[in-house]
Amino acid sequence: MKAVFVFCEGHHDVTFIARSLGQLAQATWVGGPVGKLPSPLGPVPDPENPLRPKLEGLIVRRYSNRSLNDLQLRAAAHAPLPAFDAVVRAGDTLYVLVRCQGDAAARAAMDLLDDVAAVLNPAFGTDITTVAAAFFFDADAAVAVREATFSIDFAPLLRGRLSPLHGAWATGSPHVGLFVFHDAASRSGTLEELIAPMLATEWNARWQAADAFLQQHAEPADPVSEKRSERLKAQISMTGQFLFPGDPMSVVIGRPQGNRPGLSDQHFSGLASQSLVDFLLGVPW
């Protein structure tokens, strides 16, 4: 079994990628308890001793072996970054969606990949035998700037290989890929630029009303007035509050379940979703 560790900046990135994989690659959720996940995410069982695995699962070890004494209470109550958010499967490949919060977590992301590499010894007999690492970022000012920043921040992981450009892979151990959310025309922007038209189509009256509210009441010094991505986050969240009161943007763009509302699947078949799914399916194994 192969696995792609997909490092995302935030919860809504995880949701967008998972829904795109589900819609275009027929990926399915890998559910159940952590202890039942394919190893090394979960443990390598010992048939002769069911209560003591041959190898403890990676997620359990990373979450349980951290020191809490120097943390503030709120930090101690949440999983440390990088945090495992979801696992989906398409064919014989797992996509492990990891929330990493951007540039500041580069070292932590590389440490996680080192931990993965350490247990992919055939002697351990893990379900996953080969891994790749995909990194998703917003372009912000420009795709080219993001590519340059990535090449610097992740140089230790690349080990002298040429850094991948947007939508491409650097082959090696592990294969390393880069995907940058951006507006195709300006070569700048964020994932929110791609999500906004979905909300405008699905709930247009509420989308327009949220825009009018922001125009009327936002102060010049408010974050929503200073940065377009912050304004879009606010507008997306406000539009969803009728259906998801108090919930964040990642819930607003979540999947409908039964009578529970949500963005229609069709929104995750667009060019942005197609591009990112082609990228993730295109690992040069």
Side-chain angles (χ1 to χ4, degrees), residues 101-274:
Q101 297 294 10
D103 299 321
R107 182 68 262 172
M110 290 187 284
D111 287 345
L112 170 58
L113 291 170
D114 285 342
D115 288 348
V116 174
V119 295
L120 292 186
N121 186 318
F124 292 133
T126 55
D127 299 316
I128 297 167
T129 58
T130 308
V131 301
F135 293 87
F136 281 75
F137 290 96
D138 289 327
D140 294 322
V143 172
V145 173
R146 171 54 62 197
E147 292 167 338
T149 301
F150 183 83
S151 70
I152 295 170
D153 290 346
F154 289 87
L157 177 63
L158 294 165
R159 299 185 180 95
R161 292 174 283 172
L162 288 176
S163 183
L165 300 179
H166 160 66
W169 292 87
T171 58
S173 181
H175 301 311
V176 177
L178 174 65
F179 191 93
V180 183
F181 291 118
H182 65 280
D183 173 76
S186 67
R187 299 284 290 177
S188 63
T190 64
L191 175 57
E192 289 76 31
E193 307 270 2
L194 308 178
I195 293 174
M198 302 178 181
L199 276 290
T201 300
E202 188 89 17
W203 301 301
N204 185 258
R206 292 172 176 177
W207 176 258
Q208 298 298 335
D211 179 58
F213 181 86
L214 287 166
Q215 288 189 42
Q216 183 175 355
H217 296 288
E219 299 290 341
D222 290 339
V224 296
S225 300
E226 296 178 342
K227 194 173 181 181
R228 176 167 170 75
S229 62
E230 298 299 324
R231 181 188 174 86
L232 288 175
K233 287 177 185 177
Q235 191 171 353
I236 292 166
S237 299
M238 290 168 61
T239 300
Q241 291 308 297
F242 296 91
L243 300 171
F244 311 101
D247 286 333
M249 182 168 57
S250 57
V251 175
V252 173
I253 67 170
R255 185 175 183 179
Q257 297 179 14
N259 293 325
R260 178 184 178 276
L263 274 178
S264 305
D265 287 339
Q266 64 187 13
H267 293 296
F268 298 89
S269 297
L271 292 177
S273 291
Q274 290 174 17

Side-chain angles (χ1 to χ4, degrees), residues 22-171:
Q23 184 68 9
L24 295 172
Q26 292 73 55
T28 56
W29 291 99
V30 178
V34 170
K36 298 296 183 182
L37 290 175
S39 60
L41 300 174
V44 177
D46 185 349
E48 297 181 2
N49 187 355
L51 299 180
R52 188 178 182 85
K54 291 182 181 179
L55 181 70
E56 188 64 83
L58 176 68
I59 295 175
V60 169
R61 284 190 291 112
R62 286 187 64 85
Y63 284 179
S64 63
N65 292 347
R66 60 185 180 132
S67 174
L68 301 180
N69 287 330
D70 294 329
L71 298 179
Q72 298 294 321
L73 184 60
R74 181 168 294 179
H78 294 85
L81 297 178
F84 296 87
D85 263 23
V87 180
V88 299
R89 180 171 184 166
D92 68 343
T93 303
L94 295 181
Y95 295 90
V96 184
L97 299 168
V98 182
R99 184 167 41 84
C100 208
Q101 297 294 10
D103 299 321
R107 182 68 262 172
M110 290 187 284
D111 287 345
L112 170 58
L113 291 170
D114 285 342
D115 288 348
V116 174
V119 295
L120 292 186
N121 186 318
F124 292 133
T126 55
D127 299 316
I128 297 167
T129 58
T130 308
V131 301
F135 293 87
F136 281 75
F137 290 96
D138 289 327
D140 294 322
V143 172
V145 173
R146 171 54 62 197
E147 292 167 338
T149 301
F150 183 83
S151 70
I152 295 170
D153 290 346
F154 289 87
L157 177 63
L158 294 165
R159 299 185 180 95
R161 292 174 283 172
L162 288 176
S163 183
L165 300 179
H166 160 66
W169 292 87
T171 58

